[in-house]
């Protein structure tokens, strides 16, 4: 796929087919993604790729913790967004709820939708991006964001959809238990990956973007 086309057409997928994704394909995606540049070549990323029965066990336990309002254990999470960033988040949620037929006042349905994310959108695979806890410098986080983008774009080559979502890493203690991730590592991002179910309502969402001229300042031209 042409890279410009990929950048324009890639979207977050929140509903997947049950078809498994082969280890061979996932290996190819990560192999090319690690060509991503990083500040001073630190390459701060590490990956955990989960599927099958192990992912189902993690999915069930994370879902149970969320539904019972268990305390979030991942220290990556910060205070809620404010201002325009909060408004964009709210606008996105409204569009998703509309597509999914979830009424604003239906708190139970909204919580079930949120749990859908905690359960990795029922995707057949989840890619965790981890880093040493000492990696906090802004260039390290920039590199991890870039490698996430690389994974998402490379996945398109194989007809796969992705969603970078933090719901799947709320309970890092569960992941540590099943994937033997040491306390010295921080779970930074989770990427759900699988074959998109295009009949799933939320997959019809096209998230709006601010006009380029509103977020760009030109000097010296």
């Amino acid at each position: 796929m042409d890279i410009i086309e990929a950048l324009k057409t890639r979207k977050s997928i929140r509903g997947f087919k049950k078809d498994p994704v082969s280890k061979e394909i996932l290996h190819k995606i990560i192999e090319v993604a690690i060509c991503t540049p990083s500040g001073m070549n630190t390459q701060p990323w590490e990956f955990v790729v989960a599927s099958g029965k192990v992912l189902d066990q993690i999915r069930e336990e994370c879902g149970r913790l969320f539904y019972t309002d268990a305390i979030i254990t991942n220290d990556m999470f910060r205070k809620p967004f404010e201002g325009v960033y909060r408004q964009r988040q709210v606008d996105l949620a409204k569009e998703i709820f509309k597509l999914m037929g979830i009424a604003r006042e239906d708190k139970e349905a909204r919580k079930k939708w949120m749990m859908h994310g905690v359960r990795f959108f029922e995707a057949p695979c989840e890619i965790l991006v981890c880093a040493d806890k000492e990696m906090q410098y802004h260039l390290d986080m920039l590199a991890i964001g870039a490698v996430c983008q690389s994974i998402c774009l490379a996945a398109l080559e194989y007809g796969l959809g992705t969603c970078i979502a933090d719901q799947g890493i709320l309970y890092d203690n569960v992941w540590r238990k099943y994937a033997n991730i040491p306390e010295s590592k921080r779970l930074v991002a989770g990427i759900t990956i699988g074959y998109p179910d295009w009949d799933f309502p939320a997959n019809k969402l096209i998230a709006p973007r601010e006009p380029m001229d509103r977020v760009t300042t030109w000097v010296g031209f």
Side-chain angles (χ1 to χ4, degrees):
M1 177 182 284
D2 175 80
I3 191 167
I4 300 299
E5 181 186 0
L7 286 165
K8 287 183 175 181
T9 60
R10 186 269 160 190
K11 62 190 298 185
S12 294
I13 298 300
R14 298 176 175 87
F16 296 86
K17 296 179 180 179
K18 294 187 180 297
D19 306 50
V21 181
S22 72
K23 183 178 178 180
E24 178 185 10
I25 288 176
L26 293 167
H27 186 281
K28 289 179 179 179
I29 289 171
I30 294 175
E31 188 173 43
V32 70
I34 60 176
C35 295
T36 299
S38 60
M40 295 170 285
N41 198 33
T42 54
Q43 303 174 64
W45 48 70
E46 294 181 32
F47 307 98
V48 174
V49 188
S51 187
K53 291 183 179 179
V54 174
L55 183 59
D56 286 339
Q57 289 175 310
I58 297 170
R59 195 191 321 269
E60 291 297 327
E61 193 159 336
C62 288
R64 178 182 57 79
L65 289 170
F66 176 79
Y67 207 73
T68 56
D69 297 319
I71 295 173
I72 293 171
T73 58
N74 193 332
D75 64 5
M76 276 291 293
F77 294 91
R78 44 154 285 174
K79 64 181 182 179
F81 291 115
E82 297 178 356
V84 65
Y85 309 109
R86 172 62 178 167
Q87 189 58 53
R88 290 170 185 163
Q89 181 185 32
V90 169
D91 291 343
L92 180 72
K94 286 180 179 178
E95 288 302 312
I96 291 175
F97 290 157
K98 186 185 300 182
L99 287 167
M100 295 301 299
I102 299 173
R104 181 177 180 179
E105 64 276 7
D106 192 342
K107 293 182 179 180
E108 181 66 16
R110 290 170 65 181
K111 186 165 186 176
K112 285 182 178 178
W113 171 255
M114 292 174 66
M115 189 168 73
H116 182 59
V118 172
R119 290 174 56 88
F120 326 119
F121 302 109
E122 306 300 328
C125 296
E126 177 84 354
I127 300 174
L128 291 190
V129 186
C130 305
D132 283 337
K133 286 187 175 179
E134 67 183 50
M135 291 292 191
Q136 298 181 11
Y137 183 46
H138 72 281
L139 282 180
D140 300 324
M141 294 301 106
L142 176 64
I144 287 174
V147 83
C148 287
Q149 168 83 324
S150 295
I151 289 171
C152 292
L153 295 179
L156 295 177
E157 181 70 18
Y158 301 94
L160 295 166
T162 53
C163 187
I164 304 171
D166 61 14
Q167 299 105 310
I169 59 172
L170 294 176
Y171 304 105
D172 63 329
N173 56 330
V174 177
W175 281 98
R176 294 185 195 284
K177 171 183 171 182
Y178 287 98
N180 198 30
I181 302 171
E183 287 292 338
S184 61
K185 306 294 180 183
R186 176 176 282 117
L187 279 62
V188 182
I191 305 174
T192 55
I193 184 166
Y195 296 99
D197 176 0
W198 293 114
D199 292 328
F200 190 76
N203 286 345
K204 302 185 189 315
L205 176 71
I206 299 177
R209 292 293 187 268
E210 292 292 328
M212 184 185 69
D213 289 342
R214 189 177 296 175
V215 297
T216 306
T217 300
W218 301 86
V219 294
F221 289 91

